[in-house]
Amino acid sequence: MIVILLGPPGSGKGTQAKRLEEKYHLKQLSTGEILRAEVAASSEIGKKAKSIMDAGQFVPDDILINIIDSKVQKGNAGYILDGFPRTLNQAEALDHMLHVKNMAVDVVINMVVDENILIERITGRFSCVHCGAVYHEKFKLPLKKGICDICHHKEFTKRKDDSLDVIQERLKIYHHQTSPILPYYQKKNLVKDVDAMEKVENVTNKIDHIIKNCFKTDNSEGFYMVN
Ligand code: AP5
């Protein structure tokens, strides 16, 4: 099964992907996280991507397409794609690479959030330096102040591209370059809209319901498991 989480910056793709990954035997592929790891490692890809990401622009399609092609393996139970595809070119390349692997996109979850909420979410986001767990100054504080719930470390950081001017650039690019892939998937009847402005748990329940319905209709080999 291939699930695409589509939505603007701050719509909750990463938050929901992590929760769904825990529930289903699906692997999260977050292109933002993969690229940030490349930047941290100062790899060739990381060196090319750093300034582009800091400015809120898109990293070239060929880099992202190669990354996803190398990670998606035939025979794995499935993937949640978070942050890919982001351009029409990437969407077409994804279809092609999946076709070659005898796989296909099952559902595209379109996460709908008003822009003022997106900005509040992104400007308040921070994460654990050690394990990357994501928090929010208002909506999701660590259970114990200043201590990561997951790894118990005490150092937190904010993403450089979460500054207000870069957020505005990211939202602009999303509308110009990513929104056009919605009609591409709508024509294939794959899009399910989700109101992602509700509480995290409610949004998970809605996505959960959609994925369960996909399991029902696409369970020919019977190896998808729900915990
Ligand atoms: P990426 O990391 O993918 O950034 P993004 O798409 O801009 O998305 P975000 O990570 O900002 O938000 P999210 O939707 O995951 O929200 P989150 O769950 O964190 O990409 C970064 C950069 O990498 C790009 O700008 C680009 O340069 C490059 N890149 C990546 N993929 C690429 C591609 N395919 N092609 C080209 N370039 C690419 O939630 C946000 C905050 O809100 C958190 O604090 C969270 O706790 C909180 N929150 C979440 N849900 C809720 C809720 N329901 N209620 C209240 N708070 C909530």
Side-chain angles (χ1 to χ4, degrees):
M1 169 169 283
I2 306 282
V3 178
I4 294 176
L5 293 185
L6 185 69
S11 55
K13 303 181 295 296
T15 301
Q16 295 300 331
K18 290 259 175 326
R19 292 169 69 89
L20 295 163
E21 189 180 37
E22 281 167 22
K23 180 148 190 164
Y24 296 95
H25 293 267
L26 300 174
K27 186 169 170 39
Q28 175 194 13
L29 289 180
S30 158
T31 43
E33 272 182 21
I34 294 167
L35 289 170
R36 280 187 287 280
E38 296 283 348
V39 171
S42 284
S43 68
E44 281 311 306
I45 289 177
K47 283 180 200 157
K48 278 187 202 156
K50 186 178 183 320
S51 58
I52 300 173
M53 292 172 75
D54 286 350
Q57 309 280 332
F58 282 178
V59 175
D61 284 345
D62 58 331
I63 293 180
L64 274 302
I65 292 165
N66 287 336
I67 288 174
I68 293 296
D69 199 13
S70 69
K71 303 241 177 231
V72 172
Q73 309 285 337
K74 196 179 164 198
N76 192 305
Y79 296 91
I80 304 171
L81 299 182
D82 150 19
F84 185 94
R86 237 180 248 245
T87 62
L88 205 46
N89 192 22
Q90 291 180 16
E92 287 167 353
L94 176 65
D95 274 351
H96 177 71
M97 82 173 75
L98 292 177
H99 180 72
V100 169
K101 296 174 204 256
N102 204 17
M103 301 162 88
V105 174
D106 291 271
V107 65
V108 177
I109 313 271
N110 180 36
M111 307 195 36
V112 182
V113 180
D114 288 348
E115 192 152 317
N116 57 330
I117 296 179
L118 295 173
I119 291 173
E120 186 181 24
R121 284 189 188 171
I122 300 175
T123 49
R125 172 168 53 191
F126 63 100
S127 59
C128 172
V129 168
H130 292 270
C131 72
V134 175
Y135 298 95
H136 192 278
E137 288 161 5
K138 185 169 164 191
F139 305 122
K140 189 179 186 286
L141 284 164
L143 296 173
K144 279 192 188 161
K145 196 177 174 195
I147 301 175
C148 176
D149 298 345
I150 310 293
C151 71
H152 309 298
H153 278 90
K154 294 178 182 171
E155 283 175 273
F156 297 90
T157 185
K158 277 184 166 261
R159 276 169 47 180
K160 203 170 175 186
D161 61 344
D162 279 354
S163 65
L164 196 55
D165 52 336
V166 179
I167 294 167
Q168 271 149 358
E169 181 66 15
R170 284 162 62 198
L171 289 171
K172 202 167 80 188
I173 291 180
Y174 178 82
H175 291 303
H176 282 142
Q177 299 212 43
T178 308
S179 297
I181 69 178
L182 206 51
Y184 174 82
Y185 286 120
Q186 276 162 341
K187 273 189 208 142
K188 295 171 184 279
N189 217 10
L190 290 173
V191 178
K192 302 281 180 203
D193 288 342
V194 166
D195 175 354
M197 288 178 274
E198 293 189 20
K199 280 186 177 171
V200 170
E201 299 74 25
N202 296 355
V203 178
T204 308
N205 288 341
K206 287 179 185 180
I207 298 176
D208 216 19
H209 183 71
I210 293 168
I211 295 182
K212 275 187 188 141
N213 277 338
C214 288
F215 279 140
K216 276 186 209 151
T217 54
D218 185 18
N219 198 11
S220 52
E221 295 183 48
F223 56 69
Y224 300 129
M225 301 289 289
V226 181
N227 292 327

